[in-house]
Amino acid sequence: MGAVRFDEECDVVVVGVGAAGSAAALSAHAAGARVVVLEKADAATAGGNTRVSGAGWFINRDPERAAVFLRSLCGPYPVADDVVEAWSRETALNSEWLRALGAEVGASSQYHTEPEYGTLDGSDCYAGMDTVGAQMGEFRLYDFLLGALTGAGIDVRFSTAAEELVTEAGTVTGVETAGGHRIRARGGVVLATGGFAANTRMVRDYLGLSDAPIWGSPHSTGDGHRMAQRIGADLWHMDNMMTITGVRIDDGPGVFLALWAARNYLFIGPDGRRFVDETAENRHGHISRNGALELFPLRPFHLIFDERMRAAGPLSPAREVLPVGWKLLMEKFSWSADNSDEIASGLIRRADTIAELATLADVDPATLERTVVRYNNACEIGRDDGFGRSPATLAPVSEPPFYVLDVAPLLGWSNGGPRRDGRARVVDVDGTVIAGLYAAGEVSSTYSWAKDGGFHIADALAFGRIAGREAARRGGTIS
């Protein structure tokens, strides 16, 4: 077979323009590499989950303790020591790096001011969460990074999907686009394509979810995973993810169901019975249950509540409160302040009695009536023997009319992807480095199990920089 023919050459090709891709491109460029960034989305919708996330990264004040914390969070699913060491070192440099680029960095005062897993060894490394402008979301991080790419003169090509990794003698030497254009990358290719939450088949096969609307970008379809698998990449922690209580609005992304201050409600399964402490804290996809951390939620269920809760405020936070998610930020969806619009549309269904409500929820009326009676009795005595809900949160579902809302696992992100080492190099099933291929961000998240607030962006920035430097070095632009 003859040599592969390319249409152009550069030092590093980066696939994806979110936090990981931007960090990789900027770092490779700073090292002297000529960089081309390919992004399948158009400019109006690019940026992956970074664009619509809270866009904050945790403040790592002690790399040594951060390594301990990450190992604690991994629990029974450890990642390699070189990955832990690189992560703990580089995440401590994120804010400094962004400030050097000209970002106004400040700590969030409202969210993630302390660790969610404060009882785990190493959590004392966590000093809050930094953001651009000391404010969450609203595209701030993505807009800054895109401006930095533009300011550096880096070639970003929107609406240009990477289709295949080009290999020669087992080494990745470039990329072929969906249009058949081949670009040689002398140093290597960085996959920063995001996760697979918007790929129904992959979500079903790897995450076991059959009805999960997405919270983030509909462009997260697992493109990088498939490209890497085709050339023999190994995979890691493909079943790890974050879901949170959500509501399906239509066939597109869903919205977050926030029950922060609510009390007059309970969760029921398809059998009309309670199945969990409804107020268990969701720590980025996990709750404490049965003496351990469990992924939650994993399947649809019903929210049952009464008129007091209906009148207490919106069930999904407004953009001004939590500017996160594709539906809010990109589609400008807004939940009504008193939940009346959702009742009028039929999203929330109303009944005068619990038995009538059961019919609307398609559960057995007698079973649901017994469930509500038992719950209300627990509220009266101030003790939930069935599921251990805190007495402070117990409030009866007793004031008609009554309401039911279908709740879905809102899929924030997937975690697994091509396995990589501490130098962001993708490896095959034997653990051998695939020369010329790197990965960073959600396409190959570090997190094998639990993670704290701001961890995904921190990971993307850290390994994006590593990948960019490594690819530039391999291309001979730095020693």
Side-chain angles (χ1 to χ4, degrees):
M1 180 181 293
V4 176
R5 297 182 61 181
F6 289 92
D7 299 292
E8 64 175 303
E9 292 191 3
C10 65
D11 296 312
V12 177
V13 172
V14 176
V15 188
V17 76
S22 296
L26 288 163
S27 295
H29 175 80
R34 179 175 176 267
V35 182
V36 172
V37 181
L38 305 179
E39 168 57 53
K40 75 173 183 179
D42 61 16
T45 61
N49 281 351
T50 295
R51 185 169 190 154
V52 295
S53 71
W57 55 96
F58 94 101
I59 303 170
N60 173 359
R61 63 179 161 201
D62 186 336
E64 289 188 8
R65 295 296 292 162
V68 173
F69 192 33
L70 178 57
R71 289 189 174 99
S72 298
L73 289 164
C74 290
Y77 310 105
V79 296
D81 288 343
D82 65 326
V83 175
V84 174
E85 290 160 7
W87 177 91
S88 59
R89 178 185 68 249
E90 289 289 335
T91 55
L93 303 176
N94 283 333
S95 295
E96 175 187 329
W97 180 72
L98 282 161
R99 288 190 181 101
L101 291 173
E104 181 186 344
V105 174
S108 168
S109 61
Q110 188 175 6
Y111 295 99
H112 303 305
T113 57
E114 57 186 30
E116 291 178 329
Y117 293 92
T119 61
L120 292 186
D121 194 11
S123 65
D124 51 312
C125 76
Y126 192 103
M129 186 176 76
D130 267 342
T131 59
V132 173
Q135 297 183 62
M136 289 266 288
E138 293 291 359
F139 317 128
R140 289 183 179 89
L141 177 61
Y142 173 71
D143 286 349
F144 173 79
L145 290 171
L146 184 60
L149 292 170
T150 302
I154 294 172
D155 186 358
V156 180
R157 303 178 188 179
F158 294 103
S159 302
T160 307
E163 185 76 16
E164 296 281 351
L165 296 168
V166 179
T167 62
E168 297 175 89
T171 294
V172 174
T173 56
V175 168
E176 182 174 333
T177 71
H181 187 76
R182 287 181 174 176
I183 308 171
R184 180 186 292 280
R186 288 181 288 267
V189 175
V190 178
L191 293 177
T193 50
F196 59 85
N199 184 310
T200 302
R201 180 184 61 79
M202 292 180 73
V203 167
R204 182 180 62 246
D205 290 349
Y206 290 115
L207 304 180
L209 301 177
S210 60
D211 185 21
I214 58 173
W215 201 3
S217 172
H219 299 304
S220 298
T221 52
D223 302 340
H225 298 71
R226 293 192 298 277
M227 285 189 280
Q229 282 182 280
R230 287 189 195 111
I231 63 167
D234 195 17
L235 301 175
W236 63 358
H237 41 259
M238 288 294 288
D239 61 345
N240 199 24
M241 60 178 164
M242 173 195 167
T243 56
I244 200 165
T245 50
V247 180
R248 181 184 293 281
I249 304 301
D250 47 35
D251 290 335
V255 297
F256 174 35
L257 173 67
L259 302 171
W260 295 324
R263 297 174 68 231
N264 304 88
Y265 73 95
L266 51 87
F267 295 164
I268 62 163
D271 60 357
R273 296 179 171 88
R274 292 178 69 204
F275 58 93
V276 71
D277 169 9
E278 296 87 351
T279 64
E281 179 186 3
N282 188 301
R283 304 174 184 180
H284 278 81
H286 292 78
I287 63 169
S288 295
R289 184 184 183 199
N290 299 324
L293 289 175
E294 292 187 3
L295 292 168
F296 180 85
L298 295 177
R299 56 189 59 86
F301 57 91
H302 299 297
L303 170 71
I304 302 295
F305 59 103
D306 71 3
E307 175 63 11
R308 283 167 296 200
M309 181 165 147
R310 194 281 308 164
L315 298 185
S316 185
R319 181 170 180 163
E320 295 74 24
V321 175
L322 187 67
V324 175
W326 189 272
K327 204 77 179 175
L328 260 67
L329 297 180
M330 302 298 287
E331 298 184 15
K332 298 179 172 54
F333 174 84
S334 179
W335 193 283
S336 63
D338 61 358
N339 306 295
S340 59
D341 289 351
E342 292 69 34
I343 295 170
S345 72
L347 191 65
I348 298 174
R349 288 156 288 168
R350 175 172 52 195
D352 292 327
T353 68
I354 294 298
E356 292 173 5
L357 197 71
T359 301
L360 296 178
D362 195 25
V363 300
D364 177 62
T367 300
L368 183 58
E369 286 180 320
R370 287 193 298 271
T371 295
V372 173
V373 167
R374 289 192 190 103
Y375 170 74
N376 288 344
N377 287 341
C379 295
E380 185 175 350
I381 66 174
R383 189 180 69 248
D384 178 19
D385 290 331
F387 298 98
R389 182 162 158 175
S390 169
T393 70
L394 290 171
V397 177
S398 58
E399 183 175 319
F402 302 101
Y403 302 90
V404 60
L405 173 65
D406 296 336
V407 182
L410 184 65
L411 182 54
W413 55 71
S414 57
N415 279 17
R419 186 185 300 272
R420 54 169 169 77
D421 64 13
R423 294 167 60 184
R425 301 177 301 179
V426 175
V427 301
D428 67 15
V429 293
D430 295 319
T432 302
V433 169
I434 300 175
L437 184 60
Y438 304 85
E442 191 181 340
V443 69
S444 181
S445 163
T446 295
Y447 308 117
S448 61
W449 189 230
K451 55 271 176 190
D452 218 304
F455 266 40
H456 267 275
I457 294 292
D459 186 51
L461 293 172
F463 276 96
R465 289 198 307 276
I466 293 171
R469 290 198 306 263
E470 289 287 336
R473 179 178 292 110
R474 184 174 175 276
T477 58
I478 59 176
S479 58

